[in-house]
């Protein structure tokens, strides 16, 4: 039977403080426009869950979908430019 004290160094070798790293924060900041666009789309859809959407509701949802697509396109473009050394700015 092994003592748990013998394994303590292996288990506690890399302490986790629960905070995101700087790289993770940078990734979140880069994705924030897409995240906010997704939230706007969800808000527009949630408003029409319990009723028939009016023309204004439909316009709001279409606008939010376009914003999501544009934000995702921009995010993909930035990611592609970062992946290619010397990519277009």
């Amino acid at each position: 039977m092994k003592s748990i004290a013998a394994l303590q160094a292996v288990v506690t070798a890399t302490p986790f403080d629960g905070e995101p790293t700087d790289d993770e924060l940078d990734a979140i900041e880069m994705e924030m426009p897409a995240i906010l666009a997704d939230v706007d789309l969800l808000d527009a859809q949630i408003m029409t869950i319990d009723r028939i959407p009016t023309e204004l509701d439909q316009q709001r949802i279409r606008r939010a979908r376009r914003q999501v697509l544009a934000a995702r396109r921009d995010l993909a473009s930035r990611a592609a430019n970062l992946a290619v050394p010397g990519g277009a700015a």
Side-chain angles (χ1 to χ4, degrees):
M1 179 182 214
K2 288 187 177 181
S3 169
I4 194 164
L7 300 175
Q8 184 176 4
V10 175
V11 173
T12 61
T14 55
F16 178 68
D17 63 359
E19 296 295 324
T21 64
D22 289 339
D23 290 337
E24 291 170 335
L25 289 174
D26 290 341
I28 292 169
E29 186 174 338
M30 189 169 88
E31 294 176 11
M32 191 55 69
I35 293 168
L36 293 175
D38 284 333
V39 169
D40 288 343
L41 176 58
L42 285 172
D43 285 345
Q45 291 171 334
I46 287 170
M47 288 177 19
T48 62
I49 284 178
D50 61 347
R51 61 185 168 92
I52 297 173
T54 64
E55 182 61 33
L56 183 61
D57 292 331
Q58 291 174 354
Q59 288 176 1
R60 187 176 293 124
I61 291 170
R62 283 194 301 268
R63 185 179 314 114
R65 283 186 180 140
R66 286 192 303 268
Q67 289 173 348
V68 166
L69 291 173
R72 288 181 184 172
R73 179 198 62 221
D74 294 344
L75 181 61
S77 176
R78 281 184 291 195
N81 286 339
L82 291 176
V84 177

